[in-house]
């Protein structure tokens, strides 16, 4: 089933009775070429590109809950390519280009809106760092404009520019940055994968990974055993548990990250605004809600709700940046479990078990990575070779110290990112 | 979440700073690089359930603490001074 | 000039906030295994002692206030040189702003800023806590039935007074409402 203007019009006039489910609900088969564990954004995109780019369609995505019920449906939807270090730069640049073609590629409206992202700075030192980052972005072929205070004021007149602690000196403007409708991305990839023959199997939790003589042979699930030539783990916050089923210990700690949304308001925030010094960022959804968030709760946790001290901290940061926000009523808050690596960058690699592949460590920034990660991971699974833009996301970089990608410059240590 | 500091009594989570898994207390015996060092520095059990980790009562007495707690329910089983624990 | 000069005293409702001249403030840290010896030395030289965690040993001239792991502040007198045999000493007299919050509503005021129960039944005379007051690190000691002694870093004096004043006014307003409301 394809979407078109004509189709929407016709369905509208005939009571919307012609729409069919977007994907099948198949029973698991006993055998697949590739089993993907985890039906989040990354797992679904991986399945889609395995089918589309490599013609591998005897594939199952096993999801313990429902598609899009994990972080892909919990994030604050920022899509950007403003990374600084080799490894990250080319990967996110590639991913953003895939975003720009996504709606056509999937024939699905994911509401990708390149409304522009502004990262604020509050000191000369920060300005210098952002100028450098902007240059790296431009050299990568992406866009970046260094704004002075008046430049920021023109775009974001509602900020408190004279705050004593964090006076606004300017911002790094990334016009191609923006937002998207998070679940739509999961649904779009799900539909595209299903249409190419991939089995999307929900309510199917993987409980074991079968390994014989160093080679993966299949998985155990709550819906029975499934044999597979290759198994790909893409389970975000649950990476450590699933990898442990194959005897692996990963360089990952799981942390909770919270987000908040207010009641719907008239359009007021036209961009994505990031206030790094206060660990606060905000945008406005098309429904009108102000969507904002802060930093991790900062201790290992699998409780997808979060604690009050961080709520208080985020609210204080919001008030510091734009006192007008005090008038808005918060409607909901929620949390998601982030797979944090020591250097804050992800892992797309073969596991040290033949036929087992790892995609994890996206920290709090994996939504923007969905298409790039799916594309590169599919390439790795299909060809057993790293896809160039993701070639540096190696599991062994911590052990060897080679190729660490620590964007914040705080060191490759847990709990610093 | 509240932690019972052995020196200060039960205190709000805001007073504590998190370090990470208590493996940090068990420094490998050898100085030369080995898989043990990779495990010590990077790899984590990261359990969904009971865990032992290090916290500092930063806004209180300043002591480092070993906390045994559940990462799913956030219930706290034990808090003790890190001093004297582990090999480090 | 004292840290709270020009800012204190203040009164709001039943509560009064006044600056205290603490005299000398000396932080003490016993050497390894020296806590018992330091306890004896403090007793012989100053008639005080080494306090247990969360305790202050108070005297007319000040006292010894526990302020953290292996650390306490000698308040008031200059330290007897004999103490240096058992402990590291640092003069911190200029480093702290000290104020007394007095009146029955003191715990009520601090309940708005401090995440510790400071009511007399939970925090008796001689109890001390190292904790947060708003965003500031603070040391709070009950020195009398209705008196809480508050110490924050000197550079925070103005914030301390501002935050406490707002909390004092809020408690007073709440009491005023209670008093003027319908009989209960
Ligand atoms: C509050 C919040 C804000 C965020 N904001 C942003 C942002 O603005 N921009 C950005 O780029 N990123 C953001 N992120 C990060 C981003 O959401 C994640 O990095 C990304 O979604 C993770 O990949 P995923 O979509 O595959 O994960 P998920 O959607 O979590 O998918 C993993 C799936 O695996 C399933 N699973 C787990 N264990 C098993 C098992 N044993 N068997 C079968 N299935 C299993 C889970 O049920 C889940 O559906 C944010 C995250 C949060 C929580
Ligand atoms: Zn303590």
């Amino acid at each position: 089933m394809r979407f078109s203007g004509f189709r929407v019009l016709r369905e509208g006039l005939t009571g919307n009775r012609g729409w069919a489910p977007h994907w099948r609900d198949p029973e698991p088969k006993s055998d697949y070429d590739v089993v993907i564990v985890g039906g989040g954004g990354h797992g679904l995109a991986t399945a889609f590109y395995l089918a589309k780019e490599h013609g591998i369609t005897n594939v199952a995505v096993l999801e313990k809950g429902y598609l899009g019920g994990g972080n892909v449906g919990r994030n604050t939807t920022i899509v950007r390519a403003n990374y600084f270090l080799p490894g990250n730069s080319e990967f996110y640049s590639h991913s953003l280009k895939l975003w720009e073609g996504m709606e056509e590629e999937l024939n699905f409206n994911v509401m990708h809106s390149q409304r522009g992202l502004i990262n604020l700075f509050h000191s000369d030192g920060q300005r210098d760092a952002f100028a450098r980052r902007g240059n790296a972005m431009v050299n990568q072929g992406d866009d970046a404009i260094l704004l002075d205070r008046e430049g920021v004021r023109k775009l974001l007149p509602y900020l408190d520019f004279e705050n004593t602690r964090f006076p606004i000196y300017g911002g790094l403007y990334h016009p191609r940055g923006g937002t998207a409708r998070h679940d739509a991305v999961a649904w779009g990839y799900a539909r595209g994968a299903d249409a190419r023959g991939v089995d999307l199997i929900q309510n199917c939790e993987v409980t074991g990974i079968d390994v014989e003589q160093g080679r993966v042979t299949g998985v155990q699930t709550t819906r029975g055993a499934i044999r597979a030539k290759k198994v790909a783990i893409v389970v975000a916050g649950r990476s450590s548990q699933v990898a442990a089923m194959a005897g692996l210990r990963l360089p990952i700690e799981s942390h909770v990250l919270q987000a908040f949304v207010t009641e719907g308001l008239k359009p007021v925030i036209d961009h994505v605004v990031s206030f790094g010094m206060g660990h606060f960022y905000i945008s406005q959804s098309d429904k009108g809600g102000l969507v904002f968030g802060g930093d991790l709760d900062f201790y290992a946790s699998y409780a997808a709700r979060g604690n009050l001290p961080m709520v208080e901290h985020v609210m204080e940061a919001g008030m510091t940046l734009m006192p007008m926000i005090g008038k808005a009523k918060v409607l909901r808050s929620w949390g998601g479990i982030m797979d944090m690596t020591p250097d804050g960058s992800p892992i797309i690699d073969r596991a040290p078990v033949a036929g087992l592949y790892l995609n994890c460590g996206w920290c709090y920034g994996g939504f923007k990575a969905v298409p790039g990660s799916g594309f590169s991971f599919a390439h790795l699974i299909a060809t057993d070779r790293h896809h160039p833009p993701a070639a540096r996301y190696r599991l062994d970089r911590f052990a060897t110290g080679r190729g660490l990608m620590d964007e914040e410059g705080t060191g490759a240590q847990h709990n610093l990112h | 979440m509240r932690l019972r500091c052995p020196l200060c009594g039960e205190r709000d989570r805001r007073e504590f700073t998190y370090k990470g898994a208590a493996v940090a207390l068990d420094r490998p015996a050898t100085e030369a690089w080995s898989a043990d060092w990779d495990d010590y520095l990077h790899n984590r059990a990261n359990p969904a359930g009971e865990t032992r980790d290090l916290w500092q009562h930063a806004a209180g007495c300043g002591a480092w603490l070993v906390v045994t707690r559940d990462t799913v329910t956030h219930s706290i089983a034990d808090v003790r001074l890190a001093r004297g624990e582990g090999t480090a | 000039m004292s840290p709270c000069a020009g800012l204190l005293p203040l009164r709001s409702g039943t509560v009064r906030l006044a600056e205290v001249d603490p005299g000398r403030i000396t932080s003490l840290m016993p050497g390894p295994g020296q806590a018992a010896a330091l306890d004896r030395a403090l007793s012989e030289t100053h008639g005080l002692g080494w306090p247990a965690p969360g305790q202050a040993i108070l005297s007319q001239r000040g006292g010894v206030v526990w302020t953290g792991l292996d650390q306490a502040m000698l308040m008031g007198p200059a330290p007897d040189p004999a103490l240096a045999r058992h402990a590291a000493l640092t003069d911190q007299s200029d480093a702290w702003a000290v104020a007394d919050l007095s009146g029955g509503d003191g715990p009520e005021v601090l309940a708005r800023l401090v995440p510790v129960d400071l009511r007399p039944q939970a925090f008796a005379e001689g109890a001390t806590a190292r904790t947060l007051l708003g965003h500031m690190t603070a040391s709070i000691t009950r020195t009398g039935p209705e008196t809480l002694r508050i110490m924050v870093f000197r550079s925070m004096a103005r914030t301390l007074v501002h935050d406490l004043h707002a909390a004092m006014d809020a408690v007073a307003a709440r009491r005023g409402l209670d008093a003027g409301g319908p009989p209960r």
Side-chain angles (χ1 to χ4, degrees):
Chain A
M1 183 181 56
R2 287 190 58 81
F3 287 110
S4 66
F6 173 71
R7 180 79 196 269
V8 169
L9 195 67
R10 197 183 72 198
E11 289 295 339
L13 292 173
T14 56
N16 282 308
R17 279 185 295 267
W19 302 113
H22 280 322
W23 51 82
R24 300 164 293 129
D25 187 18
E27 283 300 311
K29 295 191 287 189
S30 62
D31 224 301
Y32 288 96
D33 290 339
V34 180
V35 157
I36 294 170
V37 188
H42 292 239
L44 294 166
T46 303
F48 174 81
Y49 289 115
L50 270 176
K52 178 168 183 258
E53 299 295 323
H54 306 280
I56 300 175
T57 56
N58 185 24
V59 175
V61 177
L62 309 183
E63 166 54 48
K64 74 170 176 184
Y66 58 93
L67 298 182
N71 291 333
V72 73
R74 291 167 179 265
N75 63 74
T76 42
T77 79
I78 300 173
V79 174
R80 57 185 166 92
N82 60 349
Y83 285 72
F84 176 62
L85 293 177
N88 283 330
S89 288
E90 61 264 33
F91 174 82
Y92 287 102
S93 182
H94 178 239
S95 195
L96 184 55
K97 291 190 188 91
L98 291 173
W99 273 102
E100 289 168 341
M102 186 188 291
E103 295 184 342
E104 264 178 71
E105 183 169 34
L106 299 177
N107 176 235
F108 205 90
N109 181 9
V110 300
M111 297 165 76
H112 183 214
S113 155
Q114 294 184 295
R115 57 187 65 182
L117 162 71
I118 296 137
N119 280 85
L120 299 170
F121 53 81
H122 312 270
S123 68
D124 291 337
Q126 255 196 312
R127 177 197 287 121
D128 191 47
F130 273 129
R132 215 172 135 70
R133 176 174 297 265
N135 286 340
M137 289 159 67
V138 169
N139 280 345
Q140 177 59 45
D142 294 315
D143 58 330
I145 302 165
L146 197 70
L147 299 177
D148 62 9
R149 181 192 307 231
E150 291 317 307
V152 174
R153 206 192 293 273
K154 233 185 247 156
L155 299 178
L156 315 173
Y158 46 81
L159 300 183
D160 180 0
F161 284 81
E162 317 301 334
N163 185 283
T164 339
R165 178 71 181 82
F166 297 112
I168 293 168
Y169 277 38
L172 185 62
Y173 183 31
H174 173 38
R176 282 164 68 231
T179 60
R181 169 80 199 270
H182 47 16
D183 336 75
V185 175
W187 299 333
Y189 278 115
R191 191 178 74 131
D194 173 87
R196 286 169 172 79
V198 172
D199 283 354
L200 306 176
I201 298 166
Q202 307 183 59
N203 296 312
C204 181
E205 178 171 355
V206 170
T207 55
I209 296 177
D210 300 329
V211 180
E212 283 168 27
Q213 286 154 2
R215 165 160 277 285
V216 80
T217 56
V219 294
Q220 301 292 323
T221 80
T222 48
R223 295 177 68 173
I226 299 174
R227 294 185 65 78
K229 295 190 185 66
K230 295 180 174 179
V231 172
I233 300 176
V234 208
V235 292
R238 291 276 166 176
S239 296
S240 297
Q241 274 80 48
V242 178
M245 294 172 193
L248 305 178
R249 253 165 79 95
L250 298 181
I252 282 182
E253 255 187 23
S254 293
H255 286 255
V256 61
L257 180 70
Q258 302 190 57
F260 309 84
V261 66
T262 69
E263 61 192 343
L265 301 167
K266 288 187 178 169
V268 53
I269 296 177
D270 301 330
H271 308 83
V272 182
V273 185
S274 176
F275 170 35
M277 290 305 281
H279 301 289
F280 177 86
Y281 60 93
I282 189 164
S283 66
Q284 186 166 20
S285 79
D286 290 0
K287 254 193 330 199
L290 305 183
V291 180
F292 58 96
D295 215 337
L296 300 174
D297 274 26
F298 264 124
Y299 53 97
S301 171
Y302 287 88
R305 49 173 192 270
N307 257 309
L308 283 173
M310 188 47 69
V311 177
E312 184 180 26
H313 180 96
V314 170
M315 301 301 156
E316 285 175 351
M319 290 296 290
T320 302
L321 181 67
M322 44 176 86
M324 71 172 184
I325 201 177
K327 298 269 186 240
K329 293 189 180 65
V330 174
L331 214 55
R332 286 182 291 127
S333 71
W334 63 92
I337 307 303
M338 315 282 70
D339 36 339
M340 303 298 299
T341 57
D343 66 355
S345 293
I347 295 162
I348 298 182
D349 206 350
R350 283 182 290 261
V353 173
L356 189 64
Y357 301 82
L358 281 176
N359 180 320
C360 57
W362 292 96
C363 302
Y364 32 73
F367 179 62
K368 70 182 88 67
V370 162
S373 161
F375 197 98
S376 294
F377 198 36
H379 180 99
L380 178 69
I381 295 167
T383 65
D384 265 316
R385 283 195 310 274
H386 287 279
H387 186 231
R392 295 192 192 221
Y393 289 154
R394 306 214 9 184
L395 175 62
D396 69 359
R397 68 179 183 270
F398 305 102
T400 63
R402 229 175 293 125
L404 293 166
M405 278 159 286
D406 164 19
E407 289 273 332
E408 291 173 9
T410 47
Q413 240 198 66
H414 281 293
N415 211 33
L416 292 181
H417 298 275
Chain B
M1 191 163 88
R2 292 169 73 79
L3 298 177
R4 184 176 295 281
C5 171
L7 298 182
C8 305
E10 192 177 85
R11 291 295 180 87
D12 192 273
R13 183 256 174 275
R14 273 174 289 182
E15 294 191 1
F16 299 89
T17 308
Y18 182 69
K19 164 71 182 165
V23 290
L25 291 173
D26 297 315
R27 190 184 163 94
T30 56
E31 291 297 313
W33 180 259
S34 67
D36 288 348
W37 275 98
D38 193 25
D39 273 345
Y40 173 70
L41 293 169
H42 308 123
N43 299 327
R44 297 288 177 260
N46 194 24
E50 186 171 284
T51 193
R52 274 174 85 236
D53 45 24
L54 292 173
W55 298 70
Q56 190 189 20
H57 193 185
C61 63
W64 280 95
L65 308 172
V66 183
V67 177
T68 307
R69 64 184 180 96
D70 192 302
T71 57
V72 179
T73 62
H74 289 181
S75 73
I76 312 290
D78 184 57
V79 183
R80 58 183 63 198
L81 292 180
R83 175 186 280 186
E85 300 275 317
T87 58
Chain C
M1 207 166 72
S2 71
C4 300
L7 302 170
L8 294 180
L10 271 178
R11 174 182 283 285
S12 186
T14 63
V15 184
R16 190 179 136 84
L17 184 66
E19 179 159 28
V20 172
D21 175 2
R24 278 283 277 275
I25 304 178
T26 309
S27 65
L28 311 174
M29 181 178 283
Q34 291 289 304
L38 179 62
D39 181 51
R40 273 193 305 279
L42 277 163
S43 160
E44 284 158 14
T45 53
H46 295 283
L48 297 165
W50 179 248
Q55 293 298 311
I57 298 170
L58 300 170
S59 73
Q60 222 48 337
R61 296 187 57 208
V64 184
V65 178
W66 178 89
T67 52
L69 179 70
D70 299 335
Q71 183 183 286
M73 305 280 196
L74 174 63
M75 313 281 298
D80 190 285
L83 298 181
R85 281 206 295 277
H86 309 292
L89 313 184
T90 304
D91 183 2
Q92 297 209 24
S93 308
D94 291 333
W96 295 84
V98 187
D100 273 357
L101 186 70
S102 44
D105 275 342
E108 196 75 18
V109 169
L110 288 181
R112 291 167 179 261
L113 293 164
V114 180
V116 177
D117 185 353
L118 298 173
R119 294 171 306 163
Q121 58 267 45
F123 196 72
E125 215 167 309
T128 189
R130 188 73 191 259
T131 181
L132 291 171
L133 193 152
H135 285 190
M136 292 172 286
T137 178
S139 156
I140 301 173
T141 307
R142 181 174 287 285
T143 56
E146 294 208 337
T147 307
L148 291 162
R149 180 155 297 174
I150 302 169
M151 299 179 33
V152 299
F153 300 140
R154 183 192 182 104
S155 60
M156 303 281 160
R158 187 176 291 273
T159 306
L160 174 75
V161 170
H162 175 269
D163 285 2
L164 281 175
H165 196 180
M168 288 161 69
D169 282 353
V171 169
R174 184 52 67 95
R175 293 281 183 242
L177 280 178
D178 283 353
R184 282 178 295 178

